[in-house]
Amino acid sequence: MLRHGIIILYLLIFSGCSPTEKSLTAFSEEWLVMGTVFTITVYRLDDEHAEAAADLEAAFAEVTRVDEIMSLYRDDSELSMLHSWLGESPVEVSKPLFDVLAASQYYGNLSRGALDVTVQPLVEAWGFYAADTASVPSRQTVEDARKTVGMDRISLDHQNRTVALQPGTRIDLGAIAKGYAVDQAVAALRQRGVNGAIVNLGGTVRAVGQSPDGEPWTIGVQHPRTNTLFGEINLANGAVATSGDYDRFFEANGKRYSHIIDPRTGYPVQNTLSVTVVAPTAMAADALSTAAFVLGPRAGLSLLAGCQNIYGVVLHSNGGQRPDASFPDLKLSLNEELTRHKDATFTEAEGLYVEFRDVYPVSSQPSDCEWNSTK
Ligand code: AMP
Ligand code: MG
């Protein structure tokens, strides 16, 4: 059975002000877009109803625009049209599509191919695009799909904003587009003068400013096997994204096959349960959580350690199962930066619970990354 799960995020938001001040009110709305739930909360003065409604609309319009450009589920998306372009000659694309492809190339190179948006034929071979069609494909099917996978099949010309694809190349931006969309929504809110907001697109979350009581936002992250939280992260002006093996998966022969595929083998990643990344932007958090998921705890955390202002948690298992086979023996690894923070405490109760006392990330600068994978 293929399950589409939405990462449950618990936002603990407080509001408060002195009686003499005009008070701030939370204005929220929820939509279904990009195959998931999109929720925004903006804080404005009590009487700013009209402004708040316009804020919410402006942010939603950004996410809709990204969906219209990058969806694989729409025949008329710019990405689908790029796929149906048969020529190998370069095609001019919109700025959003070009920017996301350029970022995909950056994080793809950085992660030595762990993040690879040309993975579409493999995701298709494993049946992850449609509900209830997922099954283990033959080795031959996997090998055939692998022939058209590889970031070197995409050529980008930054000067002319054109893209050329080698024949048969198909792109899936599922690992990065949500993050980009959240950043665009936040940019629209900021442009409208919003100082406090939380934007959450299917578990990719970005916080703007501080909550009304001046405290950081507290964002809970779902435990990969139970309906509870495994941790809380305090955040001001930053983003959190989680990649999980519970998000979309099927089980066959007692094994879980989930939607994140190791492009180097053509098979779904085993033994990583979830990766949560905190970063200055949602796109960085989104791309790096998927990349670290593929790389696993050791290489994944070494990748994150090479980036500035990035924090990560990897939940993994060594393949061992507890007596309840659906609940693997969980292990937790934190990146070095996080463990060095004196105030961060980690307690294990009921298997696992993590409380990050510090406020992350410490800077809103875009993250510069360098990774020497042989270290
Ligand atoms: P996320 O939930 O952000 O980790 O993204 C996972 C989605 O990205 C999957 O559902 C696939 O559509 C796609 N995907 C799977 N494996 C990879 C990979 N190795 N690199 C890039 N995208 C991938
Ligand atoms: Mg991702």
Side-chain angles (χ1 to χ4, degrees):
M1 186 189 53
L2 186 66
R3 286 238 315 252
H4 288 249
I6 295 160
I7 300 165
I8 302 165
L9 258 135
Y10 301 79
L11 303 175
L12 310 174
I13 297 169
F14 308 96
S15 113
C17 59
S18 79
T20 50
E21 290 170 33
K22 273 192 171 182
S23 62
L24 284 169
T25 298
F27 296 88
S28 297
E29 200 156 339
E30 192 173 286
W31 300 264
L32 285 177
V33 64
M34 291 180 83
T36 191
V37 182
F38 179 46
T39 315
I40 315 177
T41 302
V42 296
Y43 284 86
R44 284 237 181 220
L45 296 175
D46 283 350
D47 53 4
E48 293 184 326
H49 282 264
E51 287 84 351
D55 296 338
L56 297 170
E57 270 316 306
F60 178 60
E62 287 300 319
V63 175
T64 308
R65 189 167 68 106
V66 173
D67 188 44
E68 284 167 1
I69 293 172
M70 300 180 199
S71 174
L72 276 181
Y73 296 91
R74 292 167 178 260
D75 290 341
D76 62 347
S77 71
E78 191 181 359
L79 181 61
S80 295
M81 293 197 296
L82 183 67
H83 287 156
S84 56
W85 174 253
L86 293 174
E88 276 177 71
S89 55
V91 192
E92 191 178 336
V93 297
S94 66
K95 186 167 170 3
L97 185 54
F98 192 89
D99 288 351
V100 171
L101 288 172
S104 302
Q105 204 171 50
Y106 174 76
Y107 290 109
N109 287 336
L110 181 76
S111 65
R112 309 281 188 272
L115 180 91
D116 186 332
V117 296
T118 66
V119 78
Q120 194 277 353
L122 282 167
V123 180
E124 176 102 61
W126 283 89
F128 284 114
Y129 290 118
D132 297 327
T133 62
S135 61
V136 179
S138 70
R139 189 164 284 273
Q140 191 56 49
T141 306
V142 172
E143 288 313 315
D144 288 346
R146 282 185 70 197
K147 289 185 186 134
T148 53
V149 175
M151 282 304 283
D152 55 351
R153 306 178 61 84
I154 305 181
S155 308
L156 300 180
D157 177 341
H158 287 254
Q159 207 122 57
N160 298 309
R161 220 211 283 144
T162 60
V163 180
L165 301 180
Q166 284 182 30
T169 308
R170 293 178 69 88
I171 295 166
D172 173 342
L173 296 173
I176 190 168
K178 281 211 285 282
Y180 175 80
V182 166
D183 289 337
Q184 293 303 111
V186 165
L189 293 176
R190 281 197 196 279
Q191 210 168 27
R192 293 185 43 78
V194 171
N195 294 320
I198 284 275
V199 176
N200 179 359
L201 179 58
T204 299
V205 182
R206 186 154 164 190
V208 178
Q210 291 188 325
S211 66
D213 61 358
E215 294 292 321
W217 310 96
T218 303
I219 294 170
V221 187
Q222 194 188 326
H223 190 293
R225 289 295 179 276
T226 65
N227 221 1
T228 56
L229 299 182
F230 90 77
E232 286 174 12
I233 292 173
N234 294 324
L235 195 68
N237 275 324
V240 182
T242 298
S243 294
D245 74 345
Y246 51 88
D247 204 7
R248 237 179 236 205
F249 68 93
F250 66 93
E251 278 166 344
N253 319 320
K255 237 174 149 178
R256 177 183 292 232
Y257 295 94
S258 91
H259 65 133
I260 302 179
I261 294 177
D262 187 337
R264 301 163 300 188
T265 63
Y267 281 71
V269 175
Q270 298 288 327
N271 298 337
T272 307
L273 281 80
S274 80
V275 177
T276 298
V277 170
V278 182
T281 66
M283 186 161 74
D286 195 1
L288 288 168
S289 67
T290 310
F293 190 101
V294 172
L295 291 168
R298 216 170 144 264
L301 290 175
S302 138
L303 168 78
L304 300 179
C307 300
Q308 286 165 6
N309 308 316
I310 303 268
Y311 306 90
V313 187
V314 180
L315 289 180
H316 55 106
S317 79
N318 54 11
Q321 303 276 335
R322 288 185 184 177
D324 168 6
S326 67
F327 201 99
D329 212 4
L330 275 180
K331 295 202 183 316
L332 170 74
S333 300
L334 299 151
N335 89 354
E336 275 173 49
E337 275 299 310
L338 208 50
T339 11
R340 258 189 253 132
H341 270 266
K342 283 204 180 69
D343 289 344
T345 61
F346 315 109
T347 55
E348 290 195 28
E350 198 63 54
L352 194 69
Y353 196 80
V354 192
E355 189 180 351
F356 304 97
R357 290 246 178 84
D358 271 0
V359 180
Y360 304 101
V362 286
S363 156
S364 59
Q365 289 303 307
S367 328
D368 267 339
C369 301
E370 257 178 50
W371 185 39
N372 179 356
S373 58
T374 54
K375 258 209 279 187

